[in-house]
Amino acid sequence: EVTSHCGMLLLYYVVLLGSSYVISTYGPHQRAQMTGDILLGGLFPIHFGVASKDQDLAARPESTQCVRFNFRGFRWLQAMIFAIDEINNSSTLLPNITLGYRIFDTCNTVSKALEATLSFVAQNKIDSLNLDEFCNCTDHIPSTIAVVGAAGSAVSTAVANLLGLFYIPQISYASSSRLLSNKNQYKSFMRTIPTDEYQATAMADIIEHFQWNWVIAVASDDDYGRPGIEKFEKEMEERDICIHLNELISQYFEDHEIKALADRIENSTAKVIVVFASGPDIEPLIKEMVRRNITDRIWLASEAWASSSLIAKPEYLDVVAGTIGFALKSGRIPSFKKFLQSVQPKKDSHNEFVREFWEETFNCYLEDSPRLQESENGSTSFRPLCTGEEDITSVETPYLDYTHLRISYNVYVAVYSIAQALQDILTCTPGHGLFANNSCADIKKMEAWQVLKQLRHLNYTNSMGEKMCFDENADLAANYTIVNWHRSAEDGSVVFEEVGYYNMHVKRGAKLFIDKTKILWNGYSSEVPFSNCSEDCEPGTRKGIIDSMPTCCFECTECSDGEYSNHKDASVCTKCPNNSWSNGNHTFCFVKEIEFLSWTEPFGIALAICAVLGIVLTAFVMGVFVRFRNTPIVKATNRELSYVLLFSLICCFSSSLIFIGEPQDWTCRLRQPAFGISFVLCISCILVKTNRVLLVFEAKIPTSLHRKWWGLNLQFLLVFLCTFVQVMICVVWLYNAPPSSYKNHDIDEIIFITCNEGSVMALGFLIGYTCLLAAICFFFAFKSRKLPENFTEAKFITFSMLIFFIVWISFIPAYFSTYGKFVSAVEVIAILASSFGMLACIFFNKVYIILFKPSRNTIEEVRCSTAAHAFKVAAKATLKHNTASRKKSSSIGGSSASSPSSSISLKTNGNDCDRTSGKHRPRVSFGSGTVTLSLSFEESRRSSLICSTQTSNISSVSAKGTVGGRFPEPALYCV
């Protein structure tokens, strides 16, 4: 706080000292002024700068001299005078009130602007400053109630700090720095130009529009360039655009500094240069670029130099042609052209800048010009004399460039805004005012702060029909026009071609419009220049990061499989949806082909045909068995179980069809249980049949116990129990983890619709239980392989079980190593192979005998075969007994006599039976003799068959338990 008070007192003291000087001299010597009832101040850059001098303070310092006349600045001044003249001549706006003005040259520097500003504030009495003790500050001098200016943001910032102390309203026409929107610091500052907050965004939008990501930023080292480029940097970061070089510049840079900056720009790979600076500040750099003939750069100009006559010169066009600039919205000022052309030194005595303007326009000296004496002394170049009556329209000068009035129009609007505020004060009705108790200000006694209050609430429509009002930051809403610098085909001068606009008050994305067909890059090309750190990444690739490099510098990396990018410079590759896959170039995704074991594909058709063939063959076999159900072969195979077995085979073949077609939830839950239950039913029947024959034929003495145990009901009960276990496995499986269909996206380019089995363990139990029954069946079938010829289906059952094991042992690794539709195909093949194996091995031989060998399908053939098998067993037992007896006798008696041969041959062919008598005579040979046995069979019709046997040289043998034994009838009709 102490520091703040000290600073304020110091500033007041400076103002006080300056005021004493201003009162005596009325500000800087060169000015434009006219008296009036109300005085307006004006600050314009009539010169581009001041001459640099080393002040060694050996003598009293002299005021610095302004150099380089600014024709555009002079036109802006003329716009203010023209507006005041119009208002003074108006009968409706401020009638009977004359506006006066005092306009000074800021020379585009802060020091000159403050020198002029002191003459404004010295006349305004502030209660907190008792200036009357030191001087009569208001004696015969009207107060300045408002100031129009200044142009540069740095100058306006300094002026605003001083005018704000006295609440003198300041309306700038060209200061766009966003810092000036801070009303806490700059209380009385207002403007008719958009803030750089929007311009920086607009510049970033243009760079994004042309897809540049590698640029150079140059800003003036003042309150205009630094805030503007700071906002520009933030906008670039949001858009992931990189700034390669970020440089500051000033018109007061030394030559070596300018050359060093030009070196960095020349060595940079960025081709676009964004400049936030005024014309005087950027001019030294442009000159150096022209000297080096660097013509391959594109300049993006802020409004401060987008139409600057200092840069837009024919000699600079090789470098700056094609510049894209932001120009303010142009306006129309009626009769202003005529006013500009009417200027003459002799007529405009109130405007001291006219004399210098005339001399600079015609490159001459007027007779009473002080610079004429300097020329005679040799301090300035020689120029001819001029009369002051030359034709101003005969020369080319920026002063007369009124085709696009931008800053001049802003000046015009600023003056009219002040006049409208005064008009509101003049016409205010007591009780409706803006001041305490709704009072109104007195136009004759008003103070500057009252005008400021009225300006903040200004809302009117000008003569052009445009609505004028200041926002909360005291800025006037406006838009930008985008211009492109062309070379005139007529005289080679610069033409500002309008190529688009930027509207700040519409939604994002619609703010910028550019007509690319009107743009000439570098003055001649229609192709958009390339200004990127890296080459564009083509569709199908993405940008990859390069270590220690900015994000704008990258390498192009091809998208991975299943990902794509369909535009250039993609940051990331987009993953294809689950039902899609990327093409070979990774530029788009195509819908994956959906695959399953279809009914229409050749493989599915072949499997379906095989399954249907199996069903047809099985049905045919069943038809044959039903047709010949009373024949011995059918009876011998236990026809009831055979029917169940054939039905289960039909179910097995049918279950394979459920695996074909698009998997649905219901098919997935049905196919494995159908397959498992069908196979268990099939194998259970085979197991019961095989085991019953084995037990009967190996029994020494068949009893009623065998008949009871192996009754038909019990056989079906065993089949039911074996099948019931499989049914329970399926029920538990379906309850706890039911299978369901799902789409497998793991395979590239294909979606396999398969069944999720729910529980692999349950599937293992299902197949494992089936294999367990098959193993038991195989064991009994293997033991039954030597039964009578008519019962040799046990051999074929053995083969069928071997096929079953081979198929299903091979199925396990095949099942887990395949994927997609081939999983179903493998299981279908396994089902069909094992089903065909059982059908062929068990039934084809019988069908062949029934259809093609009916002679073997007789009761006699069956009985003869059965008797032969029984005698063979008895003979083996007798031979074993005799051998044991001889060994025992030899060990007791020591006899070494030779014994009969132990070889036995069984003959059961048709020649050994007397077919004419219907008698079969099975014969067993023991070395040198033949044994004749009498066998009796109990039949339903109680018939008997006696085979007689001739004997030679040996005695009859009685085989106990076998010879003369009786076999129950069921033993002949089961397997």
Side-chain angles (χ1 to χ4, degrees), residues 30-34 74 77-78 81-82 85 101 338-358 366 368 388-390 392 399:
Q30 197 174 20
R31 73 192 73 174
Q33 67 178 9
M34 186 179 71
F74 181 68
L77 179 148
Q78 289 288 80
I81 296 176
F82 175 76
D85 287 347
Y101 54 84
K338 183 178 179 181
F339 177 80
L340 291 177
Q341 293 175 346
S342 65
V343 64
Q344 274 191 347
K346 295 180 179 180
K347 294 180 182 179
D348 300 311
S349 58
H350 62 277
N351 188 348
E352 298 179 6
F353 299 108
V354 173
R355 299 178 63 83
E356 184 178 359
F357 161 73
W358 204 266
L366 295 171
D368 56 348
E389 296 180 356
E390 289 79 7
I392 190 64
Y399 168 74

Side-chain angles (χ1 to χ4, degrees), residues 783-831:
K783 291 192 67 176
S784 305
R785 69 189 184 281
K786 296 182 179 180
L787 288 179
E789 182 177 344
N790 295 78
F791 302 95
T792 54
E793 68 176 350
K795 297 180 181 179
F796 295 107
I797 291 175
T798 305
F799 293 145
S800 68
M801 292 299 102
L802 282 176
I803 294 173
F804 183 88
F805 281 121
I806 293 172
V807 168
W808 289 102
I809 290 174
S810 302
F811 164 78
I812 295 174
Y815 182 85
F816 288 103
S817 62
T818 54
Y819 57 88
K821 65 180 181 180
F822 301 107
V823 175
S824 298
V826 165
E827 192 162 356
V828 170
I829 292 172
I831 293 173

Side-chain angles (χ1 to χ4, degrees), residues 131-269:
L131 300 180
D132 292 335
E133 297 181 7
F134 302 95
C135 64
N136 184 6
C137 298
T138 60
D139 187 20
H140 306 297
I141 302 176
S143 297
T144 302
I145 53 92
V147 175
V148 177
S153 295
V155 175
S156 287
T157 300
V159 172
N161 279 318
L162 187 53
L163 294 179
L165 292 174
F166 301 91
Y167 291 93
I168 299 174
Q170 172 192 359
I171 302 181
S172 174
Y173 48 83
S175 299
S176 57
S177 173
R178 62 191 183 94
L179 298 180
L180 290 168
S181 297
N182 185 352
K183 295 300 108 182
N184 292 326
Q185 186 172 357
Y186 307 104
K187 301 178 180 63
S188 63
F189 180 82
M190 310 175 83
R191 54 186 162 193
T192 58
I193 185 174
T195 173
D196 287 337
E197 187 84 11
Y198 303 113
Q199 185 173 199
T201 303
M203 284 185 166
D205 284 345
I206 279 191
I207 292 172
E208 186 178 31
H209 177 78
F210 289 111
Q211 299 180 355
W212 296 323
N213 68 5
W214 193 239
V215 300
I216 299 172
V218 178
S220 57
D221 191 11
D222 54 27
D223 288 340
Y224 169 72
R226 287 192 300 268
I229 212 68
E230 180 183 344
K231 173 64 176 177
F232 176 73
E233 289 176 2
K234 292 180 180 179
E235 293 289 338
M236 298 289 273
E237 288 178 4
E238 292 179 2
R239 293 165 172 78
D240 291 330
I241 301 174
C242 301
I243 299 177
H244 184 210
L245 296 176
N246 197 342
E247 304 287 346
L248 294 176
I249 196 172
S250 173
Q251 60 178 314
Y252 303 112
F253 269 17
E254 299 292 339
D255 287 345
H256 68 89
E257 294 177 296
I258 295 296
K259 290 180 179 179
L261 175 57
D263 287 339
R264 292 192 290 272
I265 292 176
E266 186 175 12
N267 294 331
S268 173
T269 57

Side-chain angles (χ1 to χ4, degrees), residues 644-657:
V644 177
L645 176 58
L646 288 168
F647 171 75
S648 65
L649 283 174
I650 291 177
C651 293
C652 290
F653 284 114
S654 300
S655 67
S656 65
L657 295 175

Side-chain angles (χ1 to χ4, degrees), residues 348-537:
D348 300 311
S349 58
H350 62 277
N351 188 348
E352 298 179 6
F353 299 108
V354 173
R355 299 178 63 83
E356 184 178 359
F357 161 73
W358 204 266
E359 292 176 351
E360 292 295 329
T361 299
F362 294 99
N363 195 25
C364 65
Y365 290 128
L366 295 171
E367 292 182 358
D368 56 348
S369 174
R371 292 189 295 175
L372 178 60
Q373 298 177 359
E374 296 176 1
S375 175
E376 293 174 352
N377 296 333
S379 58
T380 59
S381 60
F382 172 78
R383 291 181 181 181
L385 292 176
C386 49
T387 63
E389 296 180 356
E390 289 79 7
D391 184 7
I392 190 64
T393 61
S394 63
V395 294
E396 289 288 340
T397 171
Y399 168 74
L400 293 178
D401 183 12
Y402 44 77
T403 55
H404 299 288
L405 299 176
R406 308 182 192 280
I407 301 298
S408 299
Y409 183 73
N410 286 352
V411 174
Y412 185 78
V413 170
V415 174
Y416 264 88
S417 296
I418 297 172
Q420 188 63 44
L422 296 174
Q423 178 72 15
D424 292 342
I425 293 175
L426 178 64
T427 59
C428 177
T429 302
H432 296 84
L434 299 175
F435 305 99
N437 300 321
N438 295 325
S439 61
C440 298
D442 186 354
I443 191 70
K444 296 180 180 180
K445 297 179 181 180
M446 67 178 179
E447 298 183 22
W449 64 270
Q450 294 173 316
V451 178
L452 177 61
K453 175 74 171 178
Q454 201 71 45
L455 280 169
R456 289 179 178 177
H457 292 80
L458 187 65
N459 192 344
Y460 76 103
T461 302
N462 65 10
S463 59
M464 304 300 298
E466 297 175 332
K467 187 175 181 179
M468 298 293 174
C469 63
F470 293 96
D471 61 18
E472 65 276 6
N473 294 323
D475 299 329
L476 206 62
N479 299 320
Y480 291 108
T481 298
I482 300 173
V483 297
N484 183 223
W485 290 21
H486 291 187
R487 187 190 299 270
S488 174
E490 298 176 357
D491 55 6
S493 61
V494 178
V495 177
F496 302 111
E497 180 72 22
E498 292 188 4
V499 296
Y501 60 83
Y502 188 85
N503 190 343
M504 299 176 296
H505 306 291
V506 297
K507 63 181 181 179
R508 189 181 182 93
K511 295 182 177 182
L512 178 66
F513 170 77
I514 294 180
D515 187 353
K516 294 182 180 180
T517 61
K518 293 183 178 181
I519 298 179
L520 291 179
W521 302 103
N522 300 112
Y524 60 87
S525 175
S526 59
E527 183 179 355
V528 179
F530 181 82
S531 184
N532 293 356
C533 181
S534 303
E535 292 290 335
D536 293 341
C537 286

